[in-house]
Coordinates of all heavy atoms in Angstrom, one line a residue:
L1 N 7.2 -6.5 -3.3 CA 6.4 -6.9 -2.2 C 4.9 -6.7 -2.6 O 4.6 -5.8 -3.4 CB 6.7 -6.1 -0.9 CG 8.1 -5.9 -0.5 CD1 8.2 -5.0 0.7 CD2 8.8 -7.2 -0.2
A2 N 4.0 -7.6 -2.0 CA 2.6 -7.4 -2.2 C 1.9 -7.4 -0.9 O 2.2 -8.2 0.0 CB 2.1 -8.6 -3.1
L3 N 0.9 -6.6 -0.7 CA 0.2 -6.5 0.5 C -1.3 -6.6 0.2 O -1.8 -5.9 -0.7 CB 0.4 -5.1 1.2 CG 1.9 -4.8 1.6 CD1 1.9 -3.4 2.3 CD2 2.5 -5.9 2.5
D4 N -2.0 -7.3 1.0 CA -3.5 -7.3 1.1 C -3.9 -6.3 2.1 O -3.5 -6.5 3.3 CB -4.0 -8.7 1.4 CG -4.6 -9.4 0.1 OD1 -5.1 -8.7 -0.7 OD2 -4.6 -10.6 0.1
L5 N -4.7 -5.3 1.8 CA -5.1 -4.3 2.7 C -6.6 -4.4 3.1 O -7.4 -4.9 2.2 CB -4.8 -2.9 2.2 CG -3.4 -2.6 1.7 CD1 -3.3 -1.3 1.1 CD2 -2.4 -2.7 2.9
K6 N -6.9 -4.1 4.3 CA -8.3 -4.1 4.7 C -9.1 -3.0 4.0 O -8.6 -2.0 3.5 CB -8.4 -3.9 6.2 CG -7.7 -5.0 7.0 CD -7.8 -4.8 8.5 CE -7.1 -5.9 9.3 NZ -7.2 -5.6 10.8
A7 N -10.4 -3.2 4.0 CA -11.3 -2.1 3.4 C -11.1 -0.8 4.2 O -11.0 -0.8 5.4 CB -12.8 -2.6 3.4
G8 N -11.2 0.3 3.4 CA -11.0 1.5 4.1 C -10.7 2.6 3.1 O -10.5 2.3 1.9
P9 N -10.5 3.8 3.5 CA -10.2 4.9 2.6 C -8.7 5.0 2.3 O -7.9 5.6 3.0 CB -10.6 6.2 3.4 CG -10.4 5.8 4.9 CD -10.7 4.3 4.9
W10 N -8.3 4.3 1.3 CA -6.9 4.2 0.9 C -6.6 5.3 -0.1 O -6.6 5.1 -1.3 CB -6.5 2.8 0.3 CG -6.5 1.8 1.4 CD1 -7.4 0.9 1.7 CD2 -5.4 1.6 2.4 NE1 -7.0 0.1 2.8 CE2 -5.8 0.6 3.2 CE3 -4.2 2.3 2.6 CZ2 -5.1 0.1 4.3 CZ3 -3.5 1.9 3.7 CH2 -3.9 0.8 4.5
S11 N -6.3 6.5 0.4 CA -6.0 7.6 -0.5 C -4.6 7.5 -1.0 O -3.8 6.7 -0.5 CB -6.1 9.0 0.3 OG -5.1 9.0 1.4
R12 N -4.3 8.3 -2.0 CA -2.9 8.3 -2.6 C -1.9 8.7 -1.5 O -0.8 8.1 -1.5 CB -2.9 9.3 -3.8 CG -1.6 9.3 -4.6 CD -1.7 10.2 -5.8 NE -2.7 9.7 -6.7 CZ -2.5 8.9 -7.7 NH1 -1.2 8.4 -7.9 NH2 -3.4 8.5 -8.5
T13 N -2.3 9.7 -0.7 CA -1.4 10.1 0.4 C -1.0 9.0 1.4 O 0.1 8.8 1.8 CB -2.0 11.3 1.1 OG1 -2.2 12.4 0.2 CG2 -1.1 11.8 2.2
R14 N -2.1 8.2 1.7 CA -1.9 7.2 2.7 C -1.0 6.0 2.1 O -0.1 5.5 2.8 CB -3.2 6.6 3.1 CG -3.2 5.8 4.4 CD -4.5 5.3 4.8 NE -4.5 4.5 6.0 CZ -5.4 3.6 6.3 NH1 -6.5 3.5 5.5 NH2 -5.3 2.9 7.4
L15 N -1.3 5.7 0.8 CA -0.5 4.6 0.2 C 1.0 5.1 0.0 O 1.9 4.3 0.2 CB -1.1 4.3 -1.2 CG -2.4 3.5 -1.2 CD1 -2.9 3.3 -2.6 CD2 -2.2 2.2 -0.5
A16 N 1.2 6.4 -0.3 CA 2.5 6.9 -0.4 C 3.3 6.9 0.9 O 4.5 6.5 0.9 CB 2.5 8.3 -0.9
A17 N 2.6 7.2 2.0 CA 3.2 7.1 3.3 C 3.6 5.7 3.7 O 4.7 5.4 4.2 CB 2.3 7.7 4.4
L18 N 2.8 4.7 3.4 CA 3.1 3.3 3.6 C 4.3 2.9 2.8 O 5.2 2.2 3.3 CB 1.9 2.5 3.2 CG 1.8 1.0 3.7 CD1 0.3 0.5 3.5 CD2 2.8 0.1 3.1
T19 N 4.3 3.3 1.5 CA 5.5 3.0 0.6 C 6.8 3.6 1.1 O 7.8 2.9 1.1 CB 5.2 3.5 -0.8 OG1 4.0 3.0 -1.3 CG2 6.3 3.2 -1.8
R20 N 6.8 4.8 1.6 CA 8.0 5.4 2.1 C 8.5 4.7 3.4 O 9.7 4.4 3.5 CB 7.7 6.9 2.5 CG 7.5 7.8 1.3 CD 7.5 9.2 1.7 NE 7.0 10.1 0.6 CZ 5.7 10.5 0.6 NH1 4.8 10.1 1.5 NH2 5.3 11.2 -0.5
E21 N 7.5 4.3 4.2 CA 7.9 3.7 5.5 C 8.5 2.3 5.2 O 9.5 1.9 5.8 CB 6.7 3.5 6.4 CG 7.0 3.0 7.8 CD 8.0 3.9 8.5 OE1 8.1 5.1 8.3 OE2 8.8 3.3 9.4
L22 N 7.9 1.5 4.3 CA 8.5 0.2 4.0 C 9.8 0.3 3.3 O 10.8 -0.5 3.6 CB 7.5 -0.6 3.1 CG 6.7 -1.7 3.8 CD1 5.7 -2.3 2.9 CD2 7.6 -2.7 4.4
N23 N 10.0 1.3 2.5 CA 11.3 1.5 1.8 C 12.4 1.9 2.8 O 13.6 1.7 2.4 CB 11.1 2.6 0.7 CG 10.8 1.9 -0.7 OD1 11.7 1.6 -1.4 ND2 9.5 1.7 -1.0
R24 N 12.0 2.5 3.9 CA 13.1 2.9 4.9 C 13.8 1.6 5.4 O 15.0 1.7 5.7 CB 12.4 3.5 6.1 CG 12.1 5.0 5.9 CD 11.5 5.6 7.2 NE 12.4 5.5 8.3 CZ 12.3 4.7 9.3 NH1 11.3 3.9 9.4 NH2 13.3 4.7 10.3
L25 N 13.2 0.5 5.3 CA 13.8 -0.8 5.8 C 14.9 -1.3 4.8 O 15.8 -2.0 5.2 CB 12.8 -1.9 6.0 CG 11.7 -1.6 7.1 CD1 10.8 -2.8 7.2 CD2 12.4 -1.3 8.4
F26 N 14.7 -1.0 3.5 CA 15.5 -1.6 2.5 C 16.6 -0.7 1.9 O 16.3 0.5 1.7 CB 14.6 -2.1 1.3 CG 13.6 -3.2 1.7 CD1 12.4 -3.0 2.1 CD2 14.0 -4.5 1.5 CE1 11.5 -4.0 2.5 CE2 13.2 -5.6 1.8 CZ 11.9 -5.3 2.3
P27 N 17.8 -1.3 1.7 CA 18.8 -0.5 1.0 C 18.6 -0.3 -0.4 O 19.3 0.5 -1.1 CB 20.1 -1.3 1.3 CG 19.6 -2.7 1.4 CD 18.2 -2.6 2.0
M28 N 17.6 -1.0 -1.0 CA 17.3 -0.8 -2.5 C 15.8 -0.5 -2.6 O 15.1 -0.7 -1.7 CB 17.6 -2.2 -3.2 CG 16.7 -3.3 -2.9 SD 17.0 -4.0 -1.2 CE 18.6 -4.8 -1.4
P29 N 15.4 0.0 -3.8 CA 14.0 0.3 -3.9 C 13.1 -0.9 -3.8 O 13.3 -2.0 -4.3 CB 13.9 0.9 -5.4 CG 15.3 1.2 -5.7 CD 16.2 0.3 -5.0
A30 N 12.0 -0.7 -3.1 CA 11.0 -1.7 -2.9 C 9.7 -1.3 -3.7 O 9.2 -0.2 -3.4 CB 10.6 -1.9 -1.4
V31 N 9.4 -2.1 -4.7 CA 8.2 -1.9 -5.5 C 7.0 -2.6 -4.8 O 7.1 -3.8 -4.6 CB 8.4 -2.4 -6.9 CG1 7.1 -2.1 -7.8 CG2 9.6 -1.7 -7.6
L32 N 5.9 -1.9 -4.6 CA 4.8 -2.4 -3.8 C 3.6 -2.6 -4.6 O 3.2 -1.7 -5.3 CB 4.5 -1.5 -2.6 CG 5.7 -1.3 -1.6 CD1 5.3 -0.3 -0.5 CD2 6.2 -2.6 -1.0
L33 N 2.9 -3.7 -4.5 CA 1.6 -4.0 -5.1 C 0.6 -4.1 -3.9 O 0.8 -4.9 -3.0 CB 1.7 -5.3 -5.9 CG 2.3 -5.3 -7.3 CD1 3.9 -5.2 -7.1 CD2 2.0 -6.5 -8.1
F34 N -0.4 -3.3 -4.0 CA -1.4 -3.3 -2.9 C -2.7 -3.8 -3.5 O -3.2 -3.3 -4.5 CB -1.7 -1.8 -2.4 CG -0.5 -1.2 -1.9 CD1 0.1 -0.1 -2.6 CD2 0.1 -1.5 -0.7 CE1 1.2 0.5 -2.1 CE2 1.2 -0.9 -0.1 CZ 1.8 0.2 -0.9
R35 N -3.3 -4.8 -2.9 CA -4.7 -5.2 -3.3 C -5.6 -4.8 -2.2 O -5.4 -5.1 -1.0 CB -4.7 -6.8 -3.4 CG -6.1 -7.3 -3.9 CD -6.0 -8.7 -4.3 NE -5.7 -9.6 -3.2 CZ -5.6 -11.0 -3.3 NH1 -5.8 -11.5 -4.5 NH2 -5.3 -11.7 -2.3
H36 N -6.6 -4.0 -2.5 CA -7.5 -3.5 -1.5 C -8.9 -3.3 -2.1 O -9.1 -3.0 -3.3 CB -7.0 -2.1 -1.0 CG -6.7 -1.1 -2.1 ND1 -7.5 -0.1 -2.5 CD2 -5.6 -1.0 -2.9 CE1 -6.9 0.6 -3.4 NE2 -5.8 0.0 -3.7
P37 N -10.0 -3.5 -1.3 CA -11.4 -3.4 -1.8 C -11.9 -2.0 -1.8 O -11.5 -1.2 -0.9 CB -12.2 -4.3 -0.8 CG -11.4 -4.2 0.5 CD -9.9 -4.0 0.1
A38 N -12.7 -1.6 -2.8 CA -13.3 -0.3 -2.8 C -14.5 -0.4 -1.9 O -14.8 -1.4 -1.3 CB -13.8 0.0 -4.3
E39 N -15.2 0.8 -1.7 CA -16.3 0.8 -0.8 C -17.4 -0.1 -1.1 O -18.1 -0.7 -0.3 CB -16.8 2.3 -0.7 CG -15.9 3.2 0.0 CD -16.4 4.6 0.1 OE1 -17.6 4.8 -0.2 OE2 -15.7 5.5 0.6
D40 N -17.6 -0.4 -2.5 CA -18.6 -1.3 -2.9 C -18.2 -2.7 -3.0 O -18.9 -3.6 -3.5 CB -19.2 -0.8 -4.3 CG -18.1 -0.8 -5.4 OD1 -17.0 -1.2 -5.1 OD2 -18.5 -0.5 -6.5
G41 N -16.9 -3.0 -2.5 CA -16.4 -4.3 -2.6 C -15.6 -4.7 -3.8 O -15.0 -5.8 -3.8
T42 N -15.5 -3.8 -4.8 CA -14.8 -4.1 -6.0 C -13.3 -4.3 -5.6 O -12.7 -3.4 -5.0 CB -14.9 -3.0 -7.0 OG1 -16.3 -2.8 -7.3 CG2 -14.1 -3.3 -8.3
P43 N -12.6 -5.4 -6.0 CA -11.2 -5.5 -5.7 C -10.3 -4.6 -6.6 O -10.5 -4.6 -7.8 CB -10.9 -7.0 -6.0 CG -12.0 -7.4 -7.0 CD -13.2 -6.6 -6.7
L44 N -9.5 -3.9 -6.0 CA -8.6 -2.9 -6.7 C -7.1 -3.2 -6.5 O -6.8 -3.9 -5.5 CB -8.9 -1.5 -6.2 CG -10.3 -1.0 -6.2 CD1 -10.4 0.4 -5.5 CD2 -10.8 -0.9 -7.6

């Protein structure tokens, strides 16, 4: 799965929580790709 995320403080803890929650829906592992901007606008 791939997600475009809004600008904001995307810490490792927050991304991990999102990953766990989405994986709860699936009976198999869901590998997640997150595209999100840094504070200076750099795409990450």
Side-chain angles (χ1 to χ4, degrees):
L1 310 176
L3 303 181
D4 253 332
L5 303 175
K6 297 178 182 177
W10 288 102
S11 65
R12 187 175 295 272
T13 299
R14 195 179 180 202
L15 289 175
L18 196 168
T19 302
R20 291 189 195 96
E21 187 58 30
L22 257 176
N23 266 270
R24 283 183 59 252
L25 297 180
F26 291 90
M28 69 287 291
V31 180
L32 302 179
L33 284 72
F34 303 108
R35 185 169 64 180
H36 50 101
E39 292 183 6
D40 62 1
T42 301
L44 305 175

